[in-house]
């Protein structure tokens, strides 16, 4: 069951990829298809080169462990330096929802405001994030740092770098050192050179939580003693509770792990440990969620009743938005934010009334399309939200590549790559798009290469998480930005698929060499076979 559901995800990804190759569904930026396809072809070649190099260097690394450790330390130091260099150069002034969070957090930290702004009454989903950012600002101000824009950029950089490290750890636990090292190539493209490097929001913060939950659950499987496993389960549930408070779709990965575990119960002779894991992780999440809700309800900086809030947006609104179409600069947008839907919802008071209005609008839009038309709409929406390798960067608010905070000449070359109005942006956009096409293709590999290692429960749980995310986004408000917090899952699955393909090619090459030998030739020794 979990493996079959995972293969459904692979099929959807392959369908969306082929659709975008034939008929690109652009976001805010229009990439050059030829450049993107060239980059897509180059990424696996670079990964193969790195894979071959690591295999050849493995015996040397075993003999000279100190030099191997120093080399890895240098690699991580270089990635961290690059992450922070980019974060500093491309930091932006707060815009759209980010402005409301940064402004409120600065006011609370600087004691110039006693409570959060009315924005959070309409959008309470950002309450936990603003409280955490305010605490971070207060700490920074107490240490003498006054440039909040700079320390926000560095925080975003640290979060994304932590996401890179945890992605590496997840791949290493699942596929070994070589696969983990290969994963650094796509991780560098999407996390170190992130399209969202200049903006701290729930999407970038969410990266840390989804991959940390994955690592904690994977680590718990590597220990036999409950004295180690139970604390890891508790921590996974608690991390999910915080992540859910920042970005609700973080919860999908925990639900996917639970669904996979339940499906495995029937095949286990002793299912007590699995049941205990489900109970402990679930209990930890619910306890953490209740504690966070109680804290938000009691803190004096939130001056409205969270439980009884007639102004909050609710699922009915996002369902209505999810069935709408608007015109973007390079083609239609499917199910994304639009001011008309927002204002019509805001004008209605009362949670039940908002939900009824949203549900009725959704039904009207689907009825107008008809069953066949709605299926076509969902096809285009799937292609649109999965087809943007820049994850809809520069698609929110009014800022452009001319609005970077840094005016240092040394930062201009970096800004010219990352700014959507800058001369070299197409190079960076092509890299993101091509690498994304390559990652999607690799995620779909299990459709054609169904090895036991690729169909393990851990990987099936990750695919179920991505499938759940896509189904959620197909129904509700969506855009490519909403996929970004699960970028590590795409990278992990792609890296493991790539390693499986390389191992299959190696095995085929060895088999071909053995079959081509004369029958009277001596049987090759182990060292020759390995070579």
């Amino acid at each position: 069951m979990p493996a079959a559901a995972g293969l459904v995800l692979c099929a959807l990804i392959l369908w969306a990829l082929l659709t975008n190759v034939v008929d690109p569904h652009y976001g805010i930026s229009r990439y050059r298809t030829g450049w993107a396809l060239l980059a897509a072809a180059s990424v696996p070649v670079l990964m193969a080169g790195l894979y071959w190099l690591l295999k050849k260097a493995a015996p040397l690394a075993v003999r000279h462990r100190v030099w191997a450790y120093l080399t890895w330390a240098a690699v991580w130091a270089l990635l961290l330096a690059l992450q922070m260099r980019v974060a500093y150069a491309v930091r932006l002034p707060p815009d759209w929802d980010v402005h409301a969070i940064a402004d409120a957090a600065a006011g609370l930290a600087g004691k110039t405001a006693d409570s959060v702004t009315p924005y959070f009454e309409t959008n309470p989903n950002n309450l936990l994030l603003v409280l955490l950012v305010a605490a971070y600002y207060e700490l920074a101000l107490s240490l003498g740092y006054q440039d909040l824009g700079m320390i926000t950029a560095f925080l975003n950089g640290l979060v994304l770098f932590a996401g890179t490290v945890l992605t590496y750890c997840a791949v290493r636990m699942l596929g070994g050192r070589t696969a983990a090292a290969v994963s650094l190539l796509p991780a560098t493209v999407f996390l170190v050179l992130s399209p969202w490097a200049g903006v701290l929001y729930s999407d970038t913060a969410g990266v840390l939580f989804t991959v940390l939950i994955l690592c904690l659950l994977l680590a718990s499987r590597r220990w036999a003693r409950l004295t180690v496993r139970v604390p890891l389960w508790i921590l996974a549930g608690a991390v999910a509770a915080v992540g859910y408070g920042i970005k609700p779709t973080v919860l999908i990965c925990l639900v996917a792990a639970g669904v996979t575990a339940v499906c495995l119960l029937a095949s286990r002779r002793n299912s007590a440990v699995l049941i205990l894991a489900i109970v402990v992780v679930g209990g930890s999440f619910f306890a953490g969620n209740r504690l966070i809700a109680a804290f938000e309800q009691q803190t004096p900086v939130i001056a409205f009743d969270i439980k009884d809030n007639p102004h909050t947006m609710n699922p009915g609104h996002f369902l209505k938005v999810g069935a709408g179409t608007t015109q973007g600069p390079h083609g239609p947008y499917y199910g994304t934010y639009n001011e008309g839907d927002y204002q019509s919802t805001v004008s209605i008071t009362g949670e039940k009334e908002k939900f009824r209005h949203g549900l009725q609008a959704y039904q009207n839009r689907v009825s107008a399309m008809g069953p066949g038309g709605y299926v076509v709409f969902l096809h285009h929406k799937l292609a649109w939200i999965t087809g943007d390798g820049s994850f809809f960067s520069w698609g929110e608010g009014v800022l452009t590549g001319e609005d970077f905070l840094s005016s240092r000449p040394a930062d201009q070359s970096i800004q010219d790559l990352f700014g959507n109005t800058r001369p070299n942006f197409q190079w960076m956009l092509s890299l993101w798009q091509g690498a994304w096409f390559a990652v999607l293709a690799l995620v779909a590999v299990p459709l054609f290469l169904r090895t036991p290692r690729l169909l393990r429960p851990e990987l099936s749980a990750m695919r179920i998480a991505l499938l759940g995310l896509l189904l959620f986004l197909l129904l509700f408000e969506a855009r490519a930005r909403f996929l970004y917090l699960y970028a590590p899952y795409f990278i992990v699955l792609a890296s493991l698929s790539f390693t499986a393909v390389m191992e299959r090619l190696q095995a085929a090459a060895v088999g071909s060499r053995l079959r081509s030998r004369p029958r009277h030739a001596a049987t090759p020794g182990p060292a020759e076979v390995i070579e």
Side-chain angles (χ1 to χ4, degrees):
M1 172 67 176
L7 291 176
V8 171
L9 178 275
C10 296
L12 287 176
I13 290 296
L14 181 60
W15 178 261
L17 172 62
L18 294 176
T19 298
N20 276 292
V21 170
V22 175
D23 178 24
H25 287 57
Y26 300 108
I28 189 68
S29 302
R30 185 186 182 98
Y31 57 86
R32 297 173 184 172
T33 303
W35 289 22
L37 292 178
L38 180 61
S42 301
V43 168
V45 172
L46 291 173
M47 293 172 73
L50 179 57
Y51 179 90
W52 178 84
L53 183 63
L54 291 167
K55 286 294 185 181
K56 291 294 183 181
L60 189 64
V62 171
R63 290 196 300 268
H64 305 281
R65 292 186 180 275
V66 173
W67 286 106
Y69 293 145
L70 289 175
T71 300
W72 274 111
V75 168
W76 286 115
L78 179 63
L79 288 176
L80 177 59
L82 179 61
Q83 185 93 66
M84 293 305 169
R85 184 70 186 87
V86 170
Y88 180 85
V90 303
R91 65 193 192 279
L92 288 161
D95 191 18
W96 47 288
D97 295 47
V98 179
H99 178 269
I101 293 170
D103 184 58
L108 294 174
K111 310 302 181 185
T112 59
D114 296 325
S115 61
V116 296
T117 59
Y119 160 88
F120 295 94
E121 198 168 355
T122 305
N123 302 275
N125 56 299
N126 282 325
L127 278 172
L128 181 58
L129 182 59
V130 73
L131 294 176
L132 292 173
V133 173
Y136 172 69
Y137 282 177
E138 188 170 359
L139 174 63
L141 291 172
S142 69
L143 295 174
Y145 296 101
Q146 300 296 320
D147 189 343
L148 297 183
M150 184 177 70
I151 66 168
T152 303
F154 284 157
L155 175 61
N156 197 42
L158 286 174
V159 167
L160 291 171
F161 182 73
T164 302
V165 174
L166 291 170
T167 301
Y168 173 89
C169 292
V171 179
R172 182 166 176 175
M173 283 187 277
L174 289 166
R177 287 186 176 90
T178 301
V182 169
S183 74
L184 287 178
L185 278 175
T188 298
V189 173
F190 293 115
L191 297 177
V192 177
L193 304 176
S194 170
W196 289 100
V199 180
L200 174 66
Y201 191 50
S202 57
D203 306 283
T204 53
V207 165
L208 179 62
F209 293 94
T210 55
V211 71
L212 179 55
I213 292 167
L214 173 63
C215 286
L216 289 170
L217 295 178
L218 290 175
S220 72
R221 290 179 58 83
R222 298 167 67 90
W223 293 86
R225 292 185 299 172
L226 287 178
T227 52
V228 177
R229 301 180 85 176
V230 170
L232 290 173
W233 293 336
I234 293 173
L235 190 55
V239 169
V242 178
Y244 175 76
I246 293 174
K247 192 76 172 180
T249 48
V250 166
L251 184 60
I252 293 175
C253 66
L254 198 66
V255 173
V259 169
T260 304
V262 169
C263 292
L264 293 175
L265 287 175
S267 61
R268 297 293 177 90
R269 291 183 179 179
N270 184 6
S271 57
V273 174
L274 206 53
I275 293 174
L276 179 63
I278 295 171
V279 171
V280 171
V281 174
S284 175
F285 168 77
F286 284 111
N289 180 255
R290 290 297 88 206
L291 287 172
I292 292 171
F295 171 74
E296 290 179 347
Q297 191 69 29
Q298 296 300 320
T299 180
V301 302
I302 300 175
F304 59 89
D305 189 343
I306 299 175
K307 291 183 178 179
D308 184 19
N309 178 11
H311 302 292
T312 183
M313 293 292 179
N314 61 34
H317 167 75
F318 299 110
L319 192 63
K320 171 182 68 174
V321 173
T325 304
T326 56
Q327 186 61 34
H330 306 295
Y333 286 178
Y334 300 91
T336 190
Y337 171 90
N338 67 86
E339 189 65 19
D341 280 349
Y342 177 80
Q343 292 299 336
S344 67
T345 302
V346 168
S347 65
I348 301 170
T349 303
E351 186 174 355
K352 292 182 179 179
E353 290 74 11
K354 287 181 189 290
F355 181 80
R356 279 197 297 266
H357 168 78
L359 183 59
Q360 186 61 54
Y362 168 79
Q363 291 172 340
N364 292 341
R365 290 175 181 180
V366 172
S367 297
M369 296 181 208
Y374 189 52
V375 171
V376 172
F377 170 82
L378 293 178
H379 154 72
H380 287 296
K381 189 177 182 182
L382 173 67
W384 185 68
I385 61 178
T386 60
D388 184 359
S390 69
F391 294 94
F392 207 65
S393 64
W394 300 106
E396 311 285 2
V398 297
L399 296 181
T400 70
E402 307 304 320
D403 296 310
F404 292 115
L405 288 173
S406 175
S407 57
R408 295 177 57 203
D411 294 333
Q412 183 175 339
S413 60
I414 300 175
Q415 294 170 354
D416 285 347
L417 285 170
F418 283 79
N420 66 328
T421 57
R422 295 299 188 96
N424 297 328
F425 180 65
Q426 274 296 330
W427 291 98
M428 200 71 226
L429 185 62
S430 298
L431 176 62
W432 287 328
Q433 192 63 44
W436 184 237
F437 279 164
V439 165
L440 292 181
L442 288 169
V443 169
V445 159
L447 282 174
F448 312 100
L449 183 61
R450 300 183 187 180
T451 66
R453 291 187 65 186
L454 287 182
L455 298 180
R456 282 176 290 172
E458 298 93 331
L459 303 191
S460 294
M462 295 176 67
R463 295 187 187 104
I464 291 172
L466 295 181
L467 178 62
L469 177 66
L470 289 181
L471 293 177
F472 178 85
L473 295 180
L474 284 175
L475 277 178
F476 296 96
E477 180 182 349
R479 42 199 173 277
R481 173 169 66 85
F482 294 178
L483 292 178
Y484 189 71
L485 74 163
Y486 279 92
Y489 281 50
F490 284 99
I491 294 169
V492 170
L493 292 173
S495 301
L496 295 173
S497 292
F498 176 82
T499 304
V501 170
M502 293 300 293
E503 290 172 349
R504 178 60 61 91
L505 291 175
Q506 279 187 316
V510 171
S512 176
R513 285 164 54 189
L514 292 177
R515 286 193 299 271
S516 65
R517 289 181 180 275
R519 294 195 177 186
H520 60 273
T523 303
E528 188 176 357
V529 173
I530 292 173
E531 180 185 338

